[in-house]
Amino acid sequence: MSTCSGNCESCSSTCERKDMIEKTNEFSNVKHVIGVVSGKGGVGKSLVTGLLASKFARLGYKTAVLDADITGPSVPKMFGLNTMASGDGQYINPAVTASGIKVMSVNLLLEDRESPVIWRGPMIAGVVKQFWTEVNWGDIDIMFIDMPPGTGDVPLTIFQSIPVMGIVMVTTPQDLVSLIVKKANNMANMMNIPVLGLVENMSYAVCPDCGKKINIFGEGKTAQAAVEMHLPLLAQIPLDAKLSALCDEGEIERFSMDYVDAAVEDLRGKYIK
């Protein structure tokens, strides 16, 4: 277990995690699964998920997003998905975005998108597992799982039930958030899930007049945390009004800046075949 890569498909070990992994259905073949994680909410996990998925789709990868944030789903809004998911009585068909990304989220199953999901943890975890086993994903090169914040039932279920090859952790520049990220990193290590790197969101703002970078939250601490945890800093995403507007309009796939390009190249070079 100490040398576990997180890829149960190529592993000959009979460890506990492999025994608990759920298989997809006969219509689904997902090659790589990456979780997008943080220790707390509001740091931009869904944003990072959307940017990474959009970039991989533009590069020609068959891409999917499993929205595991059941009580606070934002992925459908970001991608402009307004219709409900369909089904054939046996499996659910995911929604498909403008660029061909397949998406499954609880908001695609609710007639009223503003209805709160008031469920206990085990039920929420069970729904996430169903999104893996009962959705007709088809052939997928890379799936991103937009995780809920924290280290509770859903992350535990995902780490134990889905063959996650690794996670990307999202943080913001403040000391407090970096501390919480270390808790998430420790959980991943305890579950033998590789941490592929850190992404710092809201890193800075750019003055529209002079182009100077302004550290609104002070000097970022993520680079230091990455060194302490021996992890790569994959990206630093600034506050960007255009990006925020595109997310609000359901047009994240149209965003063309290179904020996550280095992260995508790092993931492609090391992990995505």
PDB file of all heavy atoms in Angstrom, residues 52-88:
ATOM      1  N   LEU A  52     -10.103  22.845 -16.260  1.00  0.00           N
ATOM      2  CA  LEU A  52      -9.330  21.665 -16.650  1.00  0.00           C
ATOM      3  C   LEU A  52     -10.090  20.820 -17.671  1.00  0.00           C
ATOM      4  O   LEU A  52      -9.526  20.388 -18.690  1.00  0.00           O
ATOM      5  CB  LEU A  52      -8.996  20.820 -15.419  1.00  0.00           C
ATOM      6  CG  LEU A  52      -7.979  21.403 -14.436  1.00  0.00           C
ATOM      7  CD1 LEU A  52      -7.884  20.521 -13.192  1.00  0.00           C
ATOM      8  CD2 LEU A  52      -6.600  21.546 -15.085  1.00  0.00           C
ATOM      9  N   ALA A  53     -11.382  20.595 -17.410  1.00  0.00           N
ATOM     10  CA  ALA A  53     -12.180  19.789 -18.336  1.00  0.00           C
ATOM     11  C   ALA A  53     -12.268  20.452 -19.704  1.00  0.00           C
ATOM     12  O   ALA A  53     -12.151  19.782 -20.744  1.00  0.00           O
ATOM     13  CB  ALA A  53     -13.579  19.566 -17.756  1.00  0.00           C
ATOM     14  N   SER A  54     -12.471  21.762 -19.723  1.00  0.00           N
ATOM     15  CA  SER A  54     -12.586  22.485 -20.992  1.00  0.00           C
ATOM     16  C   SER A  54     -11.292  22.397 -21.792  1.00  0.00           C
ATOM     17  O   SER A  54     -11.312  22.215 -23.015  1.00  0.00           O
ATOM     18  CB  SER A  54     -12.952  23.946 -20.730  1.00  0.00           C
ATOM     19  OG  SER A  54     -14.213  24.055 -20.107  1.00  0.00           O
ATOM     20  N   LYS A  55     -10.166  22.544 -21.109  1.00  0.00           N
ATOM     21  CA  LYS A  55      -8.876  22.477 -21.799  1.00  0.00           C
ATOM     22  C   LYS A  55      -8.623  21.087 -22.360  1.00  0.00           C
ATOM     23  O   LYS A  55      -8.187  20.936 -23.518  1.00  0.00           O
ATOM     24  CB  LYS A  55      -7.759  22.884 -20.847  1.00  0.00           C
ATOM     25  CG  LYS A  55      -6.371  22.866 -21.473  1.00  0.00           C
ATOM     26  CD  LYS A  55      -6.257  23.864 -22.611  1.00  0.00           C
ATOM     27  CE  LYS A  55      -4.849  23.871 -23.198  1.00  0.00           C
ATOM     28  NZ  LYS A  55      -4.695  24.851 -24.292  1.00  0.00           N
ATOM     29  N   PHE A  56      -8.883  20.046 -21.579  1.00  0.00           N
ATOM     30  CA  PHE A  56      -8.680  18.690 -22.085  1.00  0.00           C
ATOM     31  C   PHE A  56      -9.599  18.411 -23.275  1.00  0.00           C
ATOM     32  O   PHE A  56      -9.193  17.753 -24.247  1.00  0.00           O
ATOM     33  CB  PHE A  56      -8.903  17.664 -20.976  1.00  0.00           C
ATOM     34  CG  PHE A  56      -7.660  17.328 -20.208  1.00  0.00           C
ATOM     35  CD1 PHE A  56      -7.375  17.952 -19.001  1.00  0.00           C
ATOM     36  CD2 PHE A  56      -6.764  16.393 -20.686  1.00  0.00           C
ATOM     37  CE1 PHE A  56      -6.222  17.656 -18.292  1.00  0.00           C
ATOM     38  CE2 PHE A  56      -5.603  16.076 -19.984  1.00  0.00           C
ATOM     39  CZ  PHE A  56      -5.328  16.717 -18.782  1.00  0.00           C
ATOM     40  N   ALA A  57     -10.835  18.898 -23.220  1.00  0.00           N
ATOM     41  CA  ALA A  57     -11.759  18.710 -24.340  1.00  0.00           C
ATOM     42  C   ALA A  57     -11.242  19.406 -25.596  1.00  0.00           C
ATOM     43  O   ALA A  57     -11.319  18.855 -26.706  1.00  0.00           O
ATOM     44  CB  ALA A  57     -13.154  19.232 -23.972  1.00  0.00           C
ATOM     45  N   ARG A  58     -10.683  20.617 -25.444  1.00  0.00           N
ATOM     46  CA  ARG A  58     -10.137  21.331 -26.604  1.00  0.00           C
ATOM     47  C   ARG A  58      -8.952  20.591 -27.213  1.00  0.00           C
ATOM     48  O   ARG A  58      -8.686  20.699 -28.417  1.00  0.00           O
ATOM     49  CB  ARG A  58      -9.712  22.745 -26.198  1.00  0.00           C
ATOM     50  CG  ARG A  58     -10.859  23.716 -26.062  1.00  0.00           C
ATOM     51  CD  ARG A  58     -10.386  25.164 -26.087  1.00  0.00           C
ATOM     52  NE  ARG A  58      -9.553  25.492 -24.947  1.00  0.00           N
ATOM     53  CZ  ARG A  58     -10.016  25.931 -23.775  1.00  0.00           C
ATOM     54  NH1 ARG A  58     -11.322  26.074 -23.596  1.00  0.00           N
ATOM     55  NH2 ARG A  58      -9.191  26.233 -22.793  1.00  0.00           N
ATOM     56  N   LEU A  59      -8.239  19.841 -26.386  1.00  0.00           N
ATOM     57  CA  LEU A  59      -7.094  19.069 -26.874  1.00  0.00           C
ATOM     58  C   LEU A  59      -7.513  17.750 -27.518  1.00  0.00           C
ATOM     59  O   LEU A  59      -6.655  16.986 -27.975  1.00  0.00           O
ATOM     60  CB  LEU A  59      -6.119  18.800 -25.731  1.00  0.00           C
ATOM     61  CG  LEU A  59      -5.379  20.025 -25.182  1.00  0.00           C
ATOM     62  CD1 LEU A  59      -4.603  19.664 -23.926  1.00  0.00           C
ATOM     63  CD2 LEU A  59      -4.445  20.617 -26.239  1.00  0.00           C
ATOM     64  N   GLY A  60      -8.808  17.475 -27.544  1.00  0.00           N
ATOM     65  CA  GLY A  60      -9.306  16.283 -28.220  1.00  0.00           C
ATOM     66  C   GLY A  60      -9.574  15.086 -27.335  1.00  0.00           C
ATOM     67  O   GLY A  60      -9.930  14.009 -27.839  1.00  0.00           O
ATOM     68  N   TYR A  61      -9.452  15.244 -26.031  1.00  0.00           N
ATOM     69  CA  TYR A  61      -9.739  14.141 -25.121  1.00  0.00           C
ATOM     70  C   TYR A  61     -11.248  14.015 -24.904  1.00  0.00           C
ATOM     71  O   TYR A  61     -11.960  15.027 -24.806  1.00  0.00           O
ATOM     72  CB  TYR A  61      -9.063  14.367 -23.761  1.00  0.00           C
ATOM     73  CG  TYR A  61      -7.560  14.236 -23.798  1.00  0.00           C
ATOM     74  CD1 TYR A  61      -6.756  15.330 -24.115  1.00  0.00           C
ATOM     75  CD2 TYR A  61      -6.939  13.023 -23.510  1.00  0.00           C
ATOM     76  CE1 TYR A  61      -5.370  15.223 -24.143  1.00  0.00           C
ATOM     77  CE2 TYR A  61      -5.552  12.905 -23.520  1.00  0.00           C
ATOM     78  CZ  TYR A  61      -4.778  14.006 -23.850  1.00  0.00           C
ATOM     79  OH  TYR A  61      -3.413  13.892 -23.881  1.00  0.00           O
ATOM     80  N   LYS A  62     -11.721  12.799 -24.820  1.00  0.00           N
ATOM     81  CA  LYS A  62     -13.115  12.553 -24.446  1.00  0.00           C
ATOM     82  C   LYS A  62     -13.214  12.773 -22.939  1.00  0.00           C
ATOM     83  O   LYS A  62     -12.663  11.999 -22.164  1.00  0.00           O
ATOM     84  CB  LYS A  62     -13.536  11.142 -24.828  1.00  0.00           C
ATOM     85  CG  LYS A  62     -13.507  10.878 -26.330  1.00  0.00           C
ATOM     86  CD  LYS A  62     -13.832   9.425 -26.651  1.00  0.00           C
ATOM     87  CE  LYS A  62     -13.730   9.169 -28.146  1.00  0.00           C
ATOM     88  NZ  LYS A  62     -13.959   7.732 -28.478  1.00  0.00           N
ATOM     89  N   THR A  63     -13.910  13.838 -22.564  1.00  0.00           N
ATOM     90  CA  THR A  63     -13.835  14.349 -21.196  1.00  0.00           C
ATOM     91  C   THR A  63     -15.192  14.295 -20.515  1.00  0.00           C
ATOM     92  O   THR A  63     -16.227  14.457 -21.159  1.00  0.00           O
ATOM     93  CB  THR A  63     -13.315  15.806 -21.212  1.00  0.00           C
ATOM     94  OG1 THR A  63     -12.113  15.855 -21.976  1.00  0.00           O
ATOM     95  CG2 THR A  63     -13.045  16.316 -19.819  1.00  0.00           C
ATOM     96  N   ALA A  64     -15.175  14.069 -19.198  1.00  0.00           N
ATOM     97  CA  ALA A  64     -16.412  14.031 -18.419  1.00  0.00           C
ATOM     98  C   ALA A  64     -16.198  14.716 -17.079  1.00  0.00           C
ATOM     99  O   ALA A  64     -15.066  14.815 -16.594  1.00  0.00           O
ATOM    100  CB  ALA A  64     -16.874  12.585 -18.200  1.00  0.00           C
ATOM    101  N   VAL A  65     -17.311  15.184 -16.501  1.00  0.00           N
ATOM    102  CA  VAL A  65     -17.291  15.765 -15.161  1.00  0.00           C
ATOM    103  C   VAL A  65     -18.385  15.108 -14.335  1.00  0.00           C
ATOM    104  O   VAL A  65     -19.557  15.115 -14.729  1.00  0.00           O
ATOM    105  CB  VAL A  65     -17.514  17.288 -15.187  1.00  0.00           C
ATOM    106  CG1 VAL A  65     -17.624  17.824 -13.759  1.00  0.00           C
ATOM    107  CG2 VAL A  65     -16.399  17.993 -15.939  1.00  0.00           C
ATOM    108  N   LEU A  66     -18.003  14.518 -13.214  1.00  0.00           N
ATOM    109  CA  LEU A  66     -18.955  13.986 -12.245  1.00  0.00           C
ATOM    110  C   LEU A  66     -19.021  14.993 -11.104  1.00  0.00           C
ATOM    111  O   LEU A  66     -18.041  15.197 -10.394  1.00  0.00           O
ATOM    112  CB  LEU A  66     -18.508  12.611 -11.758  1.00  0.00           C
ATOM    113  CG  LEU A  66     -19.483  11.781 -10.911  1.00  0.00           C
ATOM    114  CD1 LEU A  66     -19.072  10.306 -10.901  1.00  0.00           C
ATOM    115  CD2 LEU A  66     -19.590  12.289  -9.478  1.00  0.00           C
ATOM    116  N   ASP A  67     -20.168  15.630 -10.954  1.00  0.00           N
ATOM    117  CA  ASP A  67     -20.356  16.650  -9.923  1.00  0.00           C
ATOM    118  C   ASP A  67     -20.760  15.955  -8.631  1.00  0.00           C
ATOM    119  O   ASP A  67     -21.915  15.583  -8.436  1.00  0.00           O
ATOM    120  CB  ASP A  67     -21.429  17.637 -10.375  1.00  0.00           C
ATOM    121  CG  ASP A  67     -21.577  18.819  -9.434  1.00  0.00           C
ATOM    122  OD1 ASP A  67     -20.875  18.848  -8.406  1.00  0.00           O
ATOM    123  OD2 ASP A  67     -22.402  19.700  -9.714  1.00  0.00           O
ATOM    124  N   ALA A  68     -19.789  15.785  -7.740  1.00  0.00           N
ATOM    125  CA  ALA A  68     -20.038  15.084  -6.479  1.00  0.00           C
ATOM    126  C   ALA A  68     -20.430  16.026  -5.359  1.00  0.00           C
ATOM    127  O   ALA A  68     -20.631  15.588  -4.227  1.00  0.00           O
ATOM    128  CB  ALA A  68     -18.806  14.275  -6.076  1.00  0.00           C
ATOM    129  N   ASP A  69     -20.543  17.313  -5.649  1.00  0.00           N
ATOM    130  CA  ASP A  69     -20.980  18.282  -4.638  1.00  0.00           C
ATOM    131  C   ASP A  69     -22.509  18.313  -4.658  1.00  0.00           C
ATOM    132  O   ASP A  69     -23.128  19.199  -5.250  1.00  0.00           O
ATOM    133  CB  ASP A  69     -20.385  19.657  -4.935  1.00  0.00           C
ATOM    134  CG  ASP A  69     -20.493  20.602  -3.745  1.00  0.00           C
ATOM    135  OD1 ASP A  69     -21.184  20.239  -2.771  1.00  0.00           O
ATOM    136  OD2 ASP A  69     -19.907  21.695  -3.797  1.00  0.00           O
ATOM    137  N   ILE A  70     -23.114  17.330  -4.009  1.00  0.00           N
ATOM    138  CA  ILE A  70     -24.554  17.101  -4.125  1.00  0.00           C
ATOM    139  C   ILE A  70     -25.368  18.242  -3.526  1.00  0.00           C
ATOM    140  O   ILE A  70     -26.411  18.625  -4.076  1.00  0.00           O
ATOM    141  CB  ILE A  70     -24.935  15.769  -3.438  1.00  0.00           C
ATOM    142  CG1 ILE A  70     -24.150  14.605  -4.067  1.00  0.00           C
ATOM    143  CG2 ILE A  70     -26.429  15.515  -3.551  1.00  0.00           C
ATOM    144  CD1 ILE A  70     -24.398  14.395  -5.535  1.00  0.00           C
ATOM    145  N   THR A  71     -24.939  18.800  -2.424  1.00  0.00           N
ATOM    146  CA  THR A  71     -25.729  19.854  -1.782  1.00  0.00           C
ATOM    147  C   THR A  71     -25.419  21.246  -2.319  1.00  0.00           C
ATOM    148  O   THR A  71     -26.156  22.195  -2.030  1.00  0.00           O
ATOM    149  CB  THR A  71     -25.509  19.850  -0.256  1.00  0.00           C
ATOM    150  OG1 THR A  71     -24.109  20.078   0.018  1.00  0.00           O
ATOM    151  CG2 THR A  71     -25.950  18.515   0.345  1.00  0.00           C
ATOM    152  N   GLY A  72     -24.361  21.382  -3.097  1.00  0.00           N
ATOM    153  CA  GLY A  72     -24.035  22.693  -3.661  1.00  0.00           C
ATOM    154  C   GLY A  72     -23.550  22.585  -5.088  1.00  0.00           C
ATOM    155  O   GLY A  72     -22.466  23.068  -5.423  1.00  0.00           O
ATOM    156  N   PRO A  73     -24.341  21.978  -5.977  1.00  0.00           N
ATOM    157  CA  PRO A  73     -23.876  21.750  -7.349  1.00  0.00           C
ATOM    158  C   PRO A  73     -23.836  23.049  -8.160  1.00  0.00           C
ATOM    159  O   PRO A  73     -24.785  23.816  -8.172  1.00  0.00           O
ATOM    160  CB  PRO A  73     -24.931  20.790  -7.920  1.00  0.00           C
ATOM    161  CG  PRO A  73     -26.173  21.096  -7.142  1.00  0.00           C
ATOM    162  CD  PRO A  73     -25.711  21.462  -5.753  1.00  0.00           C
ATOM    163  N   SER A  74     -22.722  23.277  -8.840  1.00  0.00           N
ATOM    164  CA  SER A  74     -22.599  24.477  -9.663  1.00  0.00           C
ATOM    165  C   SER A  74     -22.112  24.179 -11.076  1.00  0.00           C
ATOM    166  O   SER A  74     -22.082  25.069 -11.919  1.00  0.00           O
ATOM    167  CB  SER A  74     -21.640  25.475  -8.994  1.00  0.00           C
ATOM    168  OG  SER A  74     -20.388  24.870  -8.735  1.00  0.00           O
ATOM    169  N   VAL A  75     -21.733  22.936 -11.331  1.00  0.00           N
ATOM    170  CA  VAL A  75     -21.188  22.576 -12.643  1.00  0.00           C
ATOM    171  C   VAL A  75     -22.190  22.798 -13.779  1.00  0.00           C
ATOM    172  O   VAL A  75     -21.827  23.373 -14.813  1.00  0.00           O
ATOM    173  CB  VAL A  75     -20.665  21.126 -12.626  1.00  0.00           C
ATOM    174  CG1 VAL A  75     -20.319  20.656 -14.041  1.00  0.00           C
ATOM    175  CG2 VAL A  75     -19.437  21.026 -11.728  1.00  0.00           C
ATOM    176  N   PRO A  76     -23.457  22.368 -13.663  1.00  0.00           N
ATOM    177  CA  PRO A  76     -24.394  22.596 -14.778  1.00  0.00           C
ATOM    178  C   PRO A  76     -24.545  24.068 -15.142  1.00  0.00           C
ATOM    179  O   PRO A  76     -24.573  24.414 -16.329  1.00  0.00           O
ATOM    180  CB  PRO A  76     -25.715  22.015 -14.248  1.00  0.00           C
ATOM    181  CG  PRO A  76     -25.298  20.982 -13.266  1.00  0.00           C
ATOM    182  CD  PRO A  76     -24.085  21.558 -12.593  1.00  0.00           C
ATOM    183  N   LYS A  77     -24.627  24.936 -14.149  1.00  0.00           N
ATOM    184  CA  LYS A  77     -24.740  26.366 -14.399  1.00  0.00           C
ATOM    185  C   LYS A  77     -23.521  26.879 -15.154  1.00  0.00           C
ATOM    186  O   LYS A  77     -23.628  27.658 -16.109  1.00  0.00           O
ATOM    187  CB  LYS A  77     -24.887  27.092 -13.062  1.00  0.00           C
ATOM    188  CG  LYS A  77     -24.753  28.614 -13.131  1.00  0.00           C
ATOM    189  CD  LYS A  77     -25.921  29.280 -13.799  1.00  0.00           C
ATOM    190  CE  LYS A  77     -25.816  30.801 -13.696  1.00  0.00           C
ATOM    191  NZ  LYS A  77     -26.896  31.480 -14.432  1.00  0.00           N
ATOM    192  N   MET A  78     -22.347  26.450 -14.766  1.00  0.00           N
ATOM    193  CA  MET A  78     -21.101  26.900 -15.366  1.00  0.00           C
ATOM    194  C   MET A  78     -21.015  26.534 -16.846  1.00  0.00           C
ATOM    195  O   MET A  78     -20.466  27.268 -17.667  1.00  0.00           O
ATOM    196  CB  MET A  78     -19.939  26.282 -14.588  1.00  0.00           C
ATOM    197  CG  MET A  78     -18.577  26.801 -14.929  1.00  0.00           C
ATOM    198  SD  MET A  78     -17.315  25.900 -14.006  1.00  0.00           S
ATOM    199  CE  MET A  78     -17.910  26.070 -12.331  1.00  0.00           C
ATOM    200  N   PHE A  79     -21.589  25.357 -17.186  1.00  0.00           N
ATOM    201  CA  PHE A  79     -21.541  24.880 -18.560  1.00  0.00           C
ATOM    202  C   PHE A  79     -22.826  25.178 -19.342  1.00  0.00           C
ATOM    203  O   PHE A  79     -22.968  24.730 -20.481  1.00  0.00           O
ATOM    204  CB  PHE A  79     -21.272  23.374 -18.588  1.00  0.00           C
ATOM    205  CG  PHE A  79     -19.836  23.012 -18.309  1.00  0.00           C
ATOM    206  CD1 PHE A  79     -19.438  22.578 -17.064  1.00  0.00           C
ATOM    207  CD2 PHE A  79     -18.882  23.116 -19.311  1.00  0.00           C
ATOM    208  CE1 PHE A  79     -18.116  22.246 -16.806  1.00  0.00           C
ATOM    209  CE2 PHE A  79     -17.559  22.784 -19.074  1.00  0.00           C
ATOM    210  CZ  PHE A  79     -17.168  22.343 -17.816  1.00  0.00           C
ATOM    211  N   GLY A  80     -23.751  25.907 -18.738  1.00  0.00           N
ATOM    212  CA  GLY A  80     -24.971  26.280 -19.442  1.00  0.00           C
ATOM    213  C   GLY A  80     -25.912  25.128 -19.717  1.00  0.00           C
ATOM    214  O   GLY A  80     -26.625  25.117 -20.728  1.00  0.00           O
ATOM    215  N   LEU A  81     -25.953  24.141 -18.825  1.00  0.00           N
ATOM    216  CA  LEU A  81     -26.821  22.972 -18.999  1.00  0.00           C
ATOM    217  C   LEU A  81     -28.146  23.232 -18.291  1.00  0.00           C
ATOM    218  O   LEU A  81     -28.198  23.310 -17.069  1.00  0.00           O
ATOM    219  CB  LEU A  81     -26.141  21.725 -18.430  1.00  0.00           C
ATOM    220  CG  LEU A  81     -24.815  21.342 -19.098  1.00  0.00           C
ATOM    221  CD1 LEU A  81     -24.144  20.205 -18.338  1.00  0.00           C
ATOM    222  CD2 LEU A  81     -25.043  20.947 -20.555  1.00  0.00           C
ATOM    223  N   ASN A  82     -29.206  23.331 -19.068  1.00  0.00           N
ATOM    224  CA  ASN A  82     -30.504  23.704 -18.513  1.00  0.00           C
ATOM    225  C   ASN A  82     -31.570  22.624 -18.635  1.00  0.00           C
ATOM    226  O   ASN A  82     -32.670  22.789 -18.130  1.00  0.00           O
ATOM    227  CB  ASN A  82     -31.009  24.976 -19.210  1.00  0.00           C
ATOM    228  CG  ASN A  82     -30.069  26.157 -18.995  1.00  0.00           C
ATOM    229  OD1 ASN A  82     -29.685  26.458 -17.870  1.00  0.00           O
ATOM    230  ND2 ASN A  82     -29.678  26.813 -20.090  1.00  0.00           N
ATOM    231  N   THR A  83     -31.268  21.522 -19.314  1.00  0.00           N
ATOM    232  CA  THR A  83     -32.234  20.446 -19.465  1.00  0.00           C
ATOM    233  C   THR A  83     -31.933  19.330 -18.475  1.00  0.00           C
ATOM    234  O   THR A  83     -30.804  19.189 -18.001  1.00  0.00           O
ATOM    235  CB  THR A  83     -32.198  19.879 -20.893  1.00  0.00           C
ATOM    236  OG1 THR A  83     -30.871  19.395 -21.175  1.00  0.00           O
ATOM    237  CG2 THR A  83     -32.560  20.961 -21.909  1.00  0.00           C
ATOM    238  N   MET A  84     -32.938  18.531 -18.189  1.00  0.00           N
ATOM    239  CA  MET A  84     -32.742  17.419 -17.270  1.00  0.00           C
ATOM    240  C   MET A  84     -32.063  16.255 -17.982  1.00  0.00           C
ATOM    241  O   MET A  84     -32.202  16.083 -19.198  1.00  0.00           O
ATOM    242  CB  MET A  84     -34.081  16.967 -16.692  1.00  0.00           C
ATOM    243  CG  MET A  84     -34.738  17.992 -15.789  1.00  0.00           C
ATOM    244  SD  MET A  84     -36.268  17.385 -15.044  1.00  0.00           S
ATOM    245  CE  MET A  84     -35.638  16.063 -14.004  1.00  0.00           C
ATOM    246  N   ALA A  85     -31.326  15.459 -17.224  1.00  0.00           N
ATOM    247  CA  ALA A  85     -30.701  14.263 -17.779  1.00  0.00           C
ATOM    248  C   ALA A  85     -31.789  13.270 -18.171  1.00  0.00           C
ATOM    249  O   ALA A  85     -32.857  13.207 -17.554  1.00  0.00           O
ATOM    250  CB  ALA A  85     -29.763  13.634 -16.754  1.00  0.00           C
ATOM    251  N   SER A  86     -31.533  12.492 -19.204  1.00  0.00           N
ATOM    252  CA  SER A  86     -32.483  11.492 -19.669  1.00  0.00           C
ATOM    253  C   SER A  86     -32.049  10.109 -19.198  1.00  0.00           C
ATOM    254  O   SER A  86     -30.962   9.929 -18.646  1.00  0.00           O
ATOM    255  CB  SER A  86     -32.584  11.525 -21.195  1.00  0.00           C
ATOM    256  OG  SER A  86     -31.323  11.218 -21.774  1.00  0.00           O
ATOM    257  N   GLY A  87     -32.905   9.126 -19.431  1.00  0.00           N
ATOM    258  CA  GLY A  87     -32.595   7.761 -19.045  1.00  0.00           C
ATOM    259  C   GLY A  87     -33.406   6.775 -19.846  1.00  0.00           C
ATOM    260  O   GLY A  87     -34.369   7.149 -20.533  1.00  0.00           O
ATOM    261  N   ASP A  88     -33.015   5.494 -19.764  1.00  0.00           N
ATOM    262  CA  ASP A  88     -33.724   4.453 -20.502  1.00  0.00           C
ATOM    263  C   ASP A  88     -34.391   3.455 -19.564  1.00  0.00           C
ATOM    264  O   ASP A  88     -34.791   2.375 -19.980  1.00  0.00           O
ATOM    265  CB  ASP A  88     -32.765   3.726 -21.449  1.00  0.00           C
ATOM    266  CG  ASP A  88     -31.593   3.074 -20.712  1.00  0.00           C
ATOM    267  OD1 ASP A  88     -31.596   3.070 -19.461  1.00  0.00           O
ATOM    268  OD2 ASP A  88     -30.682   2.572 -21.387  1.00  0.00           O
TER     269      ASP A  88
END
